[in-house]
Amino acid sequence: MAALVDEARRRAVQTQRRMRIRARALAIAGVSLALVVLAGIAWLVSSVGDSDGSQAGPASTTAGHAGGAAGTSTANGNQPGMTTWCPAMDTPQRVSGAGAGNLTSGPGIIMRLEYAWYVLRDTAAVRSVLSADAKVAPEQATRDAISATPAGTQHCVTITSADTDRWNVTVDEKHPDGTQTSWQQVITTATRDGRTDITSIVAGSR
């Protein structure tokens, strides 16, 4: 996983650079749009002011719409899960969260892997969920990569099925300094004698 982490962080820097460029472009477009809207409002106010009989109607309607929008925004913001960074989900199509997982299912063992990595920060716990013949990085590389992850980093795992016993996994990181990054894996699992193990971890595609 160490090589995957390095590659993911390199991709994250590139992605953040693209996002800054996109945000700058959107900001410029937003200013232009705002100027157009303000010009339209000025024209509307001027037109309404020419007729005392029509002034109350549009003003009342606009106030009603603004009040409705504000109420909707506040209600949505207070809905459970709207402000939670990593809400837990467990459906046949998608599993997400940051829990400790389990040893009896593909998504469960993947959650256990990431929990051991980010919360326990324990190389032995990470290796314990791997099969004896798992195609993964050497143990020392795992230890180094865990040490390189800032202590206190929060994680969020999203898992969807790619095929039988193959899973597309996205791991989002939120670092103590407020920076965030995201990277992908394809993880293969196998269940033997009632226990599920991870048999391979490879880089996923964006």
Side-chain angles (χ1 to χ4, degrees):
M1 290 177 62
L4 299 183
V5 172
D6 291 339
E7 173 64 14
R9 287 177 178 157
R10 183 186 67 79
R11 292 183 182 178
V13 170
Q14 295 176 343
T15 299
Q16 290 171 355
R17 186 179 299 115
R18 289 196 297 268
M19 290 177 66
R20 284 196 296 269
I21 294 172
R22 184 181 303 171
R24 189 176 306 158
L26 289 174
I28 293 172
V31 170
S32 300
L33 178 60
L35 292 175
V36 172
V37 171
L38 287 174
I41 292 174
W43 175 84
L44 178 60
V45 170
S46 176
S47 300
V48 171
D50 291 339
S51 172
D52 292 339
S54 63
Q55 188 171 358
S60 175
T61 302
T62 302
H65 283 238
T72 300
S73 177
T74 301
N76 286 341
N78 292 333
Q79 288 182 23
M82 287 292 286
T83 59
T84 301
W85 180 61
C86 185
M89 177 183 297
D90 187 354
T91 70
Q93 295 76 33
R94 183 187 185 95
V95 175
S96 65
N102 59 62
L103 303 176
T104 58
S105 69
I109 202 69
I110 293 168
M111 297 290 284
R112 177 67 62 92
L113 167 75
E114 306 299 352
Y115 185 88
W117 185 287
Y118 289 99
V119 180
L120 302 180
R121 297 175 64 86
D122 186 336
T123 303
V126 170
R127 307 296 293 191
S128 72
V129 302
L130 308 177
S131 66
D133 57 350
K135 299 176 181 178
V136 296
E139 183 173 350
Q140 185 58 48
T142 301
R143 184 176 293 107
D144 293 342
I146 291 175
S147 297
T149 303
T153 295
Q154 298 179 24
H155 74 291
C156 187
V157 187
T158 302
I159 306 165
T160 58
S161 177
D163 201 348
T164 303
D165 294 330
R166 291 183 70 248
W167 312 92
N168 290 320
V169 180
T170 298
V171 180
D172 295 308
E173 296 181 358
K174 182 184 286 187
H175 302 152
D177 63 1
T179 59
Q180 297 187 36
T181 189
S182 176
W183 45 291
Q184 286 73 40
Q185 302 168 320
V186 177
I187 296 181
T188 304
T189 61
T191 301
R192 307 181 184 98
D193 300 324
R195 176 191 165 97
T196 302
D197 292 309
I198 292 172
T199 59
S200 75
I201 303 173
V202 298
S205 59
R206 286 190 175 276

